[in-house]
């Protein structure tokens, strides 16, 4: 993965974490104002769980992007190897004559 692509993936991940966190905070505040949930351990636990899920998804995306990049590199190396072998197969018989 190129450095620019990696930086962009990290930025997108952090943006998603920020958006998810902000939504959860706003949702919790609305519920608190209308008398739903009160602030306490349950709210913090739910927020932490949501944040952890978002972080896991983001890391999964980064890993997938990195795996895609490595797969592309491997395919390029395999193609180079095949071309080199074919070149040798053509060259060796010509050397004997």
């Amino acid at each position: 993965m190129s450095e620019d692509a990696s930086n962009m993936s990290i930025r997108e991940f952090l943006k998603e974490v920020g958006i998810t966190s902000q939504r959860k905070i706003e949702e919790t505040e609305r519920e608190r104002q209308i008398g739903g949930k009160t602030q306490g351990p349950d709210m913090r636990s739910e927020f932490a769980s949501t944040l952890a899920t978002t972080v896991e998804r983001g890391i999964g995306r980064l890993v997938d992007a990195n795996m895609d990049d490595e797969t592309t590199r491997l395919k390029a190396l395999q193609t180079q190897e095949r071309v080199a072998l074919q070149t040798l197969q053509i060259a060796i018989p010509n050397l004997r004559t």
Side-chain angles (χ1 to χ4, degrees), residues 28-67:
T28 303
E29 183 60 23
R30 276 192 306 274
E31 290 175 355
R32 188 187 63 78
Q33 287 177 355
I34 60 173
K37 292 184 177 180
T38 59
Q39 289 183 330
D42 290 340
M43 181 190 74
R44 287 190 294 268
S45 174
E46 188 176 331
F47 176 76
S49 175
T50 302
L51 186 58
T53 300
T54 303
V55 169
E56 286 174 14
R57 271 192 242 138
I59 291 171
R61 287 182 188 158
L62 291 172
V63 168
D64 289 345
N66 195 26
M67 291 298 291

Side-chain angles (χ1 to χ4, degrees), residues 18-97:
I19 290 170
T20 302
S21 299
Q22 185 62 34
R23 284 183 186 154
K24 190 64 181 169
I25 290 168
E26 290 169 359
E27 175 186 318
T28 303
E29 183 60 23
R30 276 192 306 274
E31 290 175 355
R32 188 187 63 78
Q33 287 177 355
I34 60 173
K37 292 184 177 180
T38 59
Q39 289 183 330
D42 290 340
M43 181 190 74
R44 287 190 294 268
S45 174
E46 188 176 331
F47 176 76
S49 175
T50 302
L51 186 58
T53 300
T54 303
V55 169
E56 286 174 14
R57 271 192 242 138
I59 291 171
R61 287 182 188 158
L62 291 172
V63 168
D64 289 345
N66 195 26
M67 291 298 291
D68 289 343
D69 193 45
E70 292 302 320
T71 298
T72 302
R73 284 187 189 146
L74 178 60
K75 287 180 182 179
L77 287 172
Q78 288 171 335
T79 301
Q80 289 175 349
E81 181 182 25
R82 280 195 302 274
V83 169
L85 286 173
Q86 289 172 353
T87 302
L88 285 173
Q89 289 172 346
I90 293 169
I92 290 174
N94 290 337
L95 290 175
R96 292 182 185 161
T97 58

